[in-house]
Every structure is written in C-alpha cells, then in structure tokens.
C-alpha cells in the first residue's frame, strides 16, 4: 500500500538520524519522515546514567547482534549490541564524550574524504555541544548536546589515577577534547541535568513539535526503492503491514555501521558475489559495501583497593535503591554519572605520532553486567589499543530483512594489534605501580601478575578482551574503488541516496564514536541542504615534537624497573 510523499526520508533515529531530523526540519518548506525500528526511549533505565549496562543488554532497546566465531579470539562469538530505540546507540551507550584526536580527521582527508580535516570539522563539534565550563576556541557554548564531568571526580581514586599518569612521565591534560588529547585528566560525558543526554533528548525531542517532521516507530525498513540508479523511496513494515513511501529529494540511511551496509545490500547495492550468494538481485555493484569494518577492543585491569573508598560498597540492593530514589527525586548523586570520570590517552610506543591507547578509569571492580567482581573494595581500568589495522566485514545473509547479517571483525588478525595490547598490559602496570596509587593499590586480580610474557598476555587478551561497542567504517567515505560514499556523503553511482552515520568513517578515531558521529551528521545536514559549510577554524594542536624517538612527553619521573 502506498503512503505519503516526503522531501527527505531518514532511516534510523540514532546518533546521526536524530541530528538530521532536527537540522533538516529547520527549513519549514522541507517535509521529513524519520523511520525507527525501535520504540520510545522513555525508560528510567535509559534516562538514568548509572543504569547504562541495562539498555545495552535489553532486546527491547538494542539489536543483540553476535559475530561469527572470531578466529583470532579462540573462535569466540562477540556481543555486538546496536541501539533499537529513539536515540539509537546514544540511548544505550556509556555516554562517554570523546571527539578523537585532531590527526584522526586529517587522516580521513588523506584517505580521500576531502573537506573532513580537523580544521573543517572542529566548527561542527562546537556547534553540537554546550560544554559545562563554557565555550572557547575549541568547545561549544550553546549547542544541543550537554557535556560535563558527571560528579566532578569526588571519589579520590579518580585524581589518584591522573596523578599516577604524571608520576609515570605522562602529561596532564586539562581538556582532551581541546588542544591536547594526549595525557591524563577528567573524562567527559553526555549528561545534562542528571539525565542521559542522547540525541533523542538533545535533537529529536525539540523538533518533534514541528509540523514538517513525521516520526514513525516500530518500522522495519526492508529496502531502498530504486528506479534504475535513482533512489525514490523505501519499503518498510509496521505491525505486519507493508508500506511504501516516496522521497522527492533524497533517502538518507542512518542505520549505523551494521544496519546501513545491510540495508544497501538488501536493496541490491554492494559486492556482486555477496549479493548473489544471498539470493539478491544486483542493482548496482559497489564492492566496498560492508567491507573495512573496524572496532575498538578493550579489557579491564582489576585491583583490590586498600582503602574503603571504592563504589563496591554501593553495589548491594539497598544502596542501589537509595541511589535510584535520589536520582528520581533530585537527578543527582551517583545515579547521575556513568562513573567514568577520569581517563588517559597515550601512545603505545615511540614512533606513534598521536595517541593510540585509551583508559577509562572506574572506582569499582565489577563485571560487564554491573555485578560485583569480588568481595571487598576494588577499582579497574578499561584499556584498549584504539588504532587497529585488522579489518572485517558485514555481509547480508539472505534476502529476508528480518535475518541478521553475518558480522566478522577479524579482531587481532594483524600483528600490530596484538603488539598494541601487549603494550596495554605492560604500560598499565607501570602506571598503577606509581607512588600516587600506593595507598590504594592492592592485589592485581586481573590479569594477575603471572601474566607477564608475550605468550601469556596474548592468551589472556584472546580469552577476555571485549568489544568497546564502536563498529564503524563499513560504508567508507572517499573516492577510491572501495569507497561507498563521496565526501558529500552521496552513495557512489546512485542518485538521491546518502549514508550519514559512523559507517562512513574512513578510519576509526582514537576514542568513543558518539561525538564524531554527531559531528558527521551536523556537517552532512549543511551539505544536504546546500548550505555553505561552516568556516574552518585554525586551532593549535599540542603534539609531542619528539614522538619519533620517545613514547611519553612528560618529565621523566617514572620509577626504573
């Protein structure tokens, strides 16, 4: 059955789709349809920051994808949740706000994404945010996205970790999203007035009162409709009924790094061999669709804490109830933070130009399901090597849109990635063994001091490493034969079709992906509307001038082992 006609159809109300829905409907003459497979985000488990582990593991709010057996991780199948709710993955993520290093975006341009270097994307990072401490040359002061430091590191363990980094010879950084990413400092999160500040809260909700925006939830898009090599609309299913809607200007896929390539493939756009194997008619051969898959891995170090200051004492049901009640009444306290309030960005070895390792510090020791890891006090560091060279795929499995695609990351396929994780183990131990942690540091629970050789470290990583939930790059932007979209975000060879989400990143940045995904959508909105893009900003970036010969930039305070 036929539905209405719109100027723009956006598929996916996630980190990018909500931004586009807001910005495109600022033009009152444009009629926009936003389609989302999931439903409402009005759940306490989504809105309360401390409950972050719940929506990610709930089928109602997230696609619970699983990878094929990963050959370099002892054939483990890895969990790959993606948002299926208004706000998408910004409604289920850890709310950590990291833009990435300036050189990550210069790298994008060097890969063929002209116009996406740091000076040209910085204005859009600023446009998107309101930084709690005010706008400046690097930070935004009046954007939709609220960004702060949670409870401002009230727990003493946060600052002890930052000081330990300096003891080890690394620099402090006042703002890793500003001039200097490298170093140790406070971590930022997308929380406003004590609530998760997803793109649904920041962008979509203010736009939903506009008469030119239509939001349809519980809508599973089956395919993009094509007339030859022109996108004309989409077919979707809602409550068992099939609908077709037309776009007079453009169809925009913002279904994420798993959903967008899968939908292109379902529409007959992609690698001929992959499509024919799935029984799908090839409408347009585009070999890069679903290739170039990248992600961040991480594992966590766990230590006993010698002082009764960790959050482990708050994990029983009674304390959780008190935290929840306080949050409901006041929107503050331990319920109003993701608890990752300090962090570090370092280089894994000399000869690495900008940081390729990231730390999230947590003043508790717990499992990924939010339960206590062991009796007593503890703390942990999530650490990962963030510039992987291994590449994976997202391949359609059948013509049935309800059947999940095959996801294969090939994690740790490349020796450089395995080397990076060895550095994660050794450099982390050195940092935690600095004087600043002496009064807190107890026994190393995980990995355990016996895990010390390359072979033992490699085995530990294979068995315990987890996804940081940052899949990206499967519809990469560029101009080479494997690029899926051009620097204007238009699908190569298909008129009136764009992809705007983290799938179009040419390479994965050093950091969490929500912030750069929002930036991409902000800039793409101007490109789609035919507006002049914001003027580039000349903003100095602090780099180690001796990066080729040293691994850290601070004073040489570290203890000799």
């Amino acid at each position: 059955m036929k539905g209405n006609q719109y100027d723009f159809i956006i598929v996916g109300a996630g980190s990018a789709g909500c931004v586009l829905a807001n910005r495109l409907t600022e033009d009152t003459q444009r009629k926009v349809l936003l389609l989302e497979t999931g439903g409402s985000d009005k759940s306490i488990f989504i809105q309360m920051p401390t409950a972050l582990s719940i929506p990610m593991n709930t089928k109602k709010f997230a696609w619970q994808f699983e990878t094929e057996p990963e050959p370099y991780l002892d054939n483990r199948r890895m969990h790959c949740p993606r948002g299926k709710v208004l706000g998408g993955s910004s409604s289920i993520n850890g709310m950590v706000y990291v833009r990435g290093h300036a050189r990550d975006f210069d790298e994008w341009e060097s890969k063929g994404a002209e116009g996406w270097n740091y000076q040209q994307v910085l204005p859009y990072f600023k446009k998107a945010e309101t930084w709690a401490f005010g706008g400046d040359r690097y930070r935004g002061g009046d954007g939709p996205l609220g960004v702060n430091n949670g409870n401002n590191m009230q727990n003493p363990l946060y600052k002890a970790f930052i000081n330990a980094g300096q003891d080890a010879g690394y620099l402090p950084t006042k703002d890793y999203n500003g001039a200097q990413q490298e170093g140790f400092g406070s971590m930022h999160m997308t929380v406003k007035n004590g609530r998760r500040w997803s793109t649904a809260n920041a962008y979509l909700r203010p736009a939903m009162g506009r008469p030119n925006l239509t939001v349809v939830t519980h809508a599973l898009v089956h395919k993009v409709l094509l007339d030859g090599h022109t996108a004309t609309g989409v077919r979707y299913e809602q409550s068992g009924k099939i609908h077709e809607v037309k776009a007079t200007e453009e169809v925009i896929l913002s279904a994420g790094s798993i959903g967008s390539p899968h939908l292109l493939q379902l529409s007959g756009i992609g690698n001929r061999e992959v499509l024919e194997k799935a029984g799908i008619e090839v409408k347009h051969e585009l070999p890069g669709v679903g290739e170039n898959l990248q992600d961040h891995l991480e594992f966590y170090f766990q230590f006993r804490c010698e002082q009764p200051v960790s959050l482990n004492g708050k994990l029983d049901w009674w304390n959780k109830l008190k935290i929840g009640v306080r949050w409901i009444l006041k929107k503050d306290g331990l319920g109003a933070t993701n608890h990752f309030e300090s962090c570090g960005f370092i280089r894994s070895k000399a000869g690495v130009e900008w940081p390729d390792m990231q730390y999230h510090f947590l003043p508790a020791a717990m499992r990924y399901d939010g339960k206590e890891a062991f009796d007593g006090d503890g703390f942990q560091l999530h650490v990962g090597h963030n510039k992987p060279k291994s590449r994976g795929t997202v391949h359609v499995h059948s013509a049935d849109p309800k059947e999940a695609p095959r996801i294969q990351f090939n994690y740790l396929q490349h020796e450089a990635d395995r080397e990076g994780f060895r550095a994660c183990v050794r450099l982390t131990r050195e940092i935690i063994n600095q004087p600043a942690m002496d009064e807190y540091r107890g026994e190393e629970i995980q990995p355990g001091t016996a895990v010390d050789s390359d072979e033992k470290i490699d085995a530990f990583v294979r068995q315990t490493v987890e996804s940081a939930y940052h899949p990206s790059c499967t519809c990469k932007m560029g101009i080479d034969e494997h690029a899926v979209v051009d620097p204007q975000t238009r699908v190569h060879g298909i008129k009136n079709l764009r992809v705007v989400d983290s799938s179009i990143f040419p390479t994965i940045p050093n950091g969490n992906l929500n912030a750069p995904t929002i930036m991409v959508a902000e800039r793409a909105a101007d490109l789609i509307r035919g507006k002049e893009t914001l003027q580039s900003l000349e903003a100095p970036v602090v780099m180690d001038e001796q990066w080729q010969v040293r691994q850290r930039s601070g004073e040489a305070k570290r203890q000799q082992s």
Side-chain angles (χ1 to χ4, degrees):
M1 51 188 293
K2 293 185 178 180
N4 292 328
Q5 200 165 259
Y6 299 85
D7 295 296
F8 296 104
I9 298 172
I10 303 167
V11 179
S15 296
C18 289
V19 175
L20 293 174
N22 182 299
R23 296 307 188 190
L24 296 182
T25 56
E26 288 177 339
D27 181 346
T28 59
Q29 302 304 307
R30 257 55 180 270
K31 192 177 179 184
V32 176
L33 172 65
L34 178 64
L35 297 172
E36 169 55 45
T37 307
S40 171
D41 63 330
K42 292 182 179 179
S43 163
I44 188 174
F45 299 119
I46 289 176
Q47 299 300 326
M48 183 166 62
T50 196
L52 61 94
S53 68
I54 296 175
M56 183 178 293
N57 293 289
T58 303
K59 288 184 178 180
K60 179 181 179 180
F61 301 131
W63 299 98
Q64 300 296 325
F65 293 125
E66 192 176 62
T67 71
E68 298 296 298
E70 289 291 343
Y72 307 95
L73 297 184
D74 294 343
N75 289 316
R76 294 162 57 205
R77 290 183 181 268
M78 304 292 282
H79 186 214
C80 183
R82 297 286 84 204
K84 187 178 65 173
V85 62
L86 292 178
S89 292
S90 75
S91 288
I92 69 165
N93 68 1
M95 293 157 283
V96 174
Y97 183 83
V98 183
R99 293 176 175 179
H101 194 278
R103 291 287 285 118
D104 288 322
F105 306 103
D106 297 338
E107 181 179 68
W108 285 11
E109 186 162 72
S110 75
K111 300 286 186 181
E114 183 180 356
W116 294 86
N117 63 45
Y118 178 64
Q119 286 74 24
Q120 289 175 289
V121 304
L122 178 58
Y124 288 97
F125 278 120
K126 293 184 64 175
K127 180 181 181 180
E129 75 167 343
T130 293
W131 173 227
F133 300 102
D136 58 25
R137 193 172 189 173
Y138 300 88
R139 305 306 296 262
D142 56 3
L145 196 68
V147 182
N148 63 29
N149 179 238
N151 285 333
N152 298 316
M153 300 193 298
Q154 293 179 22
N155 190 296
L157 287 166
Y158 291 122
K159 292 178 181 176
F161 173 65
I162 294 171
N163 292 336
Q166 294 177 64
D167 286 348
Y170 299 97
L171 293 173
T173 178
K174 292 182 178 179
D175 183 359
Y176 63 82
N177 285 311
Q180 178 193 328
Q181 186 191 61
E182 187 167 0
F184 287 73
S186 62
M187 181 161 260
H188 312 156
M189 64 189 73
T190 48
V191 172
K192 182 178 179 181
N193 298 327
R195 295 174 61 201
R196 173 193 291 272
W197 214 239
S198 65
T199 55
N201 284 333
Y203 286 90
L204 183 58
R205 202 143 280 118
M208 288 183 78
R210 296 172 185 167
N212 58 332
L213 175 62
T214 300
V215 180
V216 178
T217 56
H218 305 293
L220 176 66
V221 176
H222 286 196
K223 64 168 59 176
V224 177
L225 301 174
L226 298 171
D227 181 3
H229 283 70
T230 300
T232 61
V234 302
R235 179 180 298 160
Y236 72 91
E237 180 179 343
Q238 185 190 46
S239 301
K241 295 182 179 180
I242 302 299
H243 304 265
E244 289 190 358
V245 284
K246 299 294 185 178
T248 59
E249 294 196 41
E250 292 184 346
V251 174
I252 307 163
L253 303 185
S254 295
S257 290
I258 307 300
S260 287
H262 188 219
L263 192 49
L264 286 174
Q265 292 165 346
L266 287 169
S267 307
I269 302 169
N271 181 290
R272 177 175 295 275
E273 184 179 341
V274 172
L275 298 182
E276 290 178 345
K277 186 177 180 181
I280 296 172
E281 180 187 354
V282 180
K283 299 292 186 68
H284 176 59
E285 190 167 4
L286 199 57
V289 174
E291 307 300 309
N292 196 45
L293 175 62
Q294 298 167 48
D295 189 19
H296 290 145
L297 287 172
E298 66 177 17
F299 67 88
Y300 47 87
F301 262 90
Q302 289 184 330
F303 294 84
R304 292 192 182 277
C305 184
E306 295 296 298
Q307 302 291 334
V309 295
S310 79
L311 297 180
N312 282 63
K314 305 291 185 181
L315 297 178
D316 61 280
W317 71 269
W318 174 243
N319 275 291
K320 285 183 176 180
L321 177 63
K322 290 195 293 184
I323 289 168
V325 169
R326 176 171 174 171
W327 182 84
I328 290 170
L329 296 175
K330 297 183 177 181
K331 299 295 187 292
D332 66 4
L334 292 176
T337 176
N338 63 11
H339 305 293
F340 293 114
E341 295 184 17
S342 65
C343 63
F345 297 88
I346 66 174
R347 292 175 291 115
S348 60
K349 62 181 180 179
V352 173
E353 187 178 357
W354 68 94
D356 61 345
M357 281 176 55
Q358 178 180 1
Y359 290 104
H360 300 67
F361 182 84
L362 184 67
M366 62 179 65
R367 303 197 305 259
Y368 270 99
D369 60 7
K371 295 181 180 178
E372 201 168 19
F374 50 77
D375 292 335
D377 282 274
F379 60 87
Q380 68 191 40
L381 298 88
H382 295 233
V383 57
H385 180 247
N386 273 5
K387 297 295 287 185
K389 292 188 177 182
S390 302
R391 298 291 183 265
T393 57
V394 174
H395 286 169
V396 64
H397 183 51
S398 82
D400 182 355
K402 295 179 182 177
E403 189 165 345
R406 286 179 169 159
I407 304 168
Q408 184 83 71
F409 284 95
N410 292 317
Y411 290 123
L412 301 185
Q413 179 184 44
H414 201 287
E415 171 61 22
D417 300 347
R418 298 192 289 271
E419 180 185 329
F421 272 92
R422 292 173 203 142
C424 287
V425 172
R426 294 188 168 113
L427 293 173
T428 302
R429 281 194 177 126
E430 182 186 23
I431 291 165
I432 295 301
N433 280 310
Q434 297 302 317
M437 296 299 297
D438 282 353
E439 65 178 300
Y440 304 111
R441 181 185 59 253
E443 178 190 1
E444 180 184 313
I445 301 296
Q446 183 175 289
T449 55
V451 178
D452 54 1
S453 67
D454 285 358
E455 294 74 19
K456 289 179 179 179
I457 291 172
D458 288 351
F460 165 79
V461 171
R462 286 196 306 271
Q463 294 159 13
T464 63
V465 76
E466 299 286 346
S467 172
Y469 309 122
H470 300 158
S472 54
C473 309
T474 48
C475 298
K476 78 168 186 175
M477 178 165 43
I479 55 176
D480 63 75
E481 66 273 20
H482 294 291
V484 176
V485 302
D486 67 12
Q488 303 290 307
T489 74
R490 301 172 297 202
V491 174
H492 286 294
I494 300 289
K495 294 181 180 179
N496 301 339
L497 180 61
R498 296 188 198 238
V499 181
V500 179
D501 54 33
S502 63
S503 72
I504 72 172
F505 296 1
T507 55
I508 193 168
N510 180 47
N512 308 64
L513 299 193
N514 193 229
T517 302
I518 292 168
M519 175 278 291
V520 162
E522 283 277 18
R523 191 169 190 273
D526 280 354
L527 296 173
I528 293 166
R529 293 176 63 181
K531 294 177 63 177
E532 287 286 330
T533 54
L534 296 178
Q535 186 175 357
S536 62
L537 292 174
E538 294 298 324
V541 177
V542 176
M543 305 281 287
D544 183 3
E545 294 180 355
Q546 299 183 51
W547 63 268
Q548 292 177 313
V549 296
R550 67 183 183 186
Q551 180 261 331
R552 64 197 80 186
S553 307
E555 296 178 7
K557 296 180 181 178
R558 62 181 177 136
Q559 296 175 327
Q560 297 298 316
S561 57

